[in-house]
Amino acid sequence: MTERRITVESSEHMQEICGSFDENIRALEKQYNVSVVCRGGEIKIVGEGNAVAHAESALLAMLHMSETGQTVDVQTVRYVSAMVDEGEAGEIDDLTEGDVCLTATGKVVRAKTVGQKRYVDAIKKNTIVFGIGPAGTGKTYLAVAMAVKAFKRHDVSRIILTRPAVEAGEKLGFLPGDLQNKVDPYLRPLYDALFEMLGAESFQRHMERGSIEVAPLAYMRGRTLDNAFIILDEAQNTTSEQLKMFLTRLGEQSRMVITGDVTQIDLPDKRKCGLLEAMKVLRRVEEISIQEFTNKDVVRHRLVQDIIKAYEKYYHGKGENDACNKSKGCS
């Protein structure tokens, strides 16, 4: 058996590392099959050699995150453990520089994972950025945060948010109201993010002035979008023609962020997905960055990560079985 000890000088940091009712410690013990005891200002880890070393690295990373003002919860434990297991614990230190902006209530918006930090850095450095990854990785939220930051700094004079009006597997029929009322349900996630960043009153005021525009993708045709921060959400539901049309709207002093999840394509013919094509065509074009998230970057409820992993495992196994059946001449 191996034993390691970590000294924590602040009782506040010790409390955050342990979590409510020691839930963070229990999660770490389960992850590495070790015993962790927090007493006074010391954390004692007991178990097998490699497991103890990994648990110690994870706890030190959690302590660093707490000391730099980041939230430490069960989701953090799972993420930090995954980074430690892959030998990437050192990259967690970079998250202290991931602040993006403040919300209307004063909450700090920052990158919570290394994947998110790379995404934010890519948006700072490139004219067009693709954010590709599963649900819950903060693709849209961080893009809106970066747009609001650029808008407040007067780097751009307007924010334009758009997404294709494609139903997710169900027919809603004719919706009541005028055109804005009809497209609002499709654009609700974008509204929600803007409300949080700007506050409802400020958002409404900018909407009335035209400095913030939220519109369906069809409204982009024929326009030149100058001095704007433009976000296309749910891009996996664009056709090749639609995405090419959108990309060629880029005007002077503008930036674009395109987000999407290629595992949630709602197009009738998935072979015509514009996002999949663009990822191949534009990968080596200068000033265009393609950032891909993994299930490690999921920052929603921890079950979202488990759900994504379960589906990946299921479809991977299904693909292998299908290949096996075909090789045997089965239909």
Side-chain angles (χ1 to χ4, degrees), residues 104 188 190-201 203-204:
R188 179 52 53 189
L190 301 175
Y191 284 123
D192 291 344
L194 278 172
F195 283 161
E196 184 173 349
M197 299 297 166
L198 295 170
E201 290 184 10
F203 168 74
Q204 192 60 43

Side-chain angles (χ1 to χ4, degrees), residues 217-231:
L217 181 59
Y219 274 44
M220 298 298 110
R221 185 173 294 279
R223 301 177 63 183
T224 300
L225 306 175
D226 291 324
N227 200 24
F229 197 114
I230 313 143
I231 299 172

Side-chain angles (χ1 to χ4, degrees), residues 241-259:
E241 294 79 11
Q242 285 176 318
L243 190 50
K244 181 182 177 183
M245 176 275 291
F246 172 78
L247 290 168
T248 53
R249 300 307 94 200
L250 183 69
E252 293 295 328
Q253 305 301 315
S254 289
R255 290 177 177 272
M256 280 184 171
V257 177
I258 299 96
T259 69

Side-chain angles (χ1 to χ4, degrees), residues 130-147:
F130 287 81
I132 316 297
T137 50
K139 304 181 298 294
T140 303
Y141 185 79
L142 287 173
V144 172
M146 291 296 288

Side-chain angles (χ1 to χ4, degrees), residues 2-8 14 17-18 25-26 28-29 34-47 52 55-56 59:
T2 303
E3 179 180 311
R4 298 279 181 91
R5 294 174 185 266
I6 298 173
T7 300
V8 181
M14 175 68 87
I17 290 171
C18 294
I25 295 302
R26 301 290 83 82
L28 193 70
E29 287 179 327
V34 296
S35 172
V36 180
V37 178
C38 301
R39 198 163 287 159
E42 188 177 73
I43 301 175
K44 182 173 73 172
I45 315 161
V46 179
V52 169
E56 181 185 32
L59 281 165

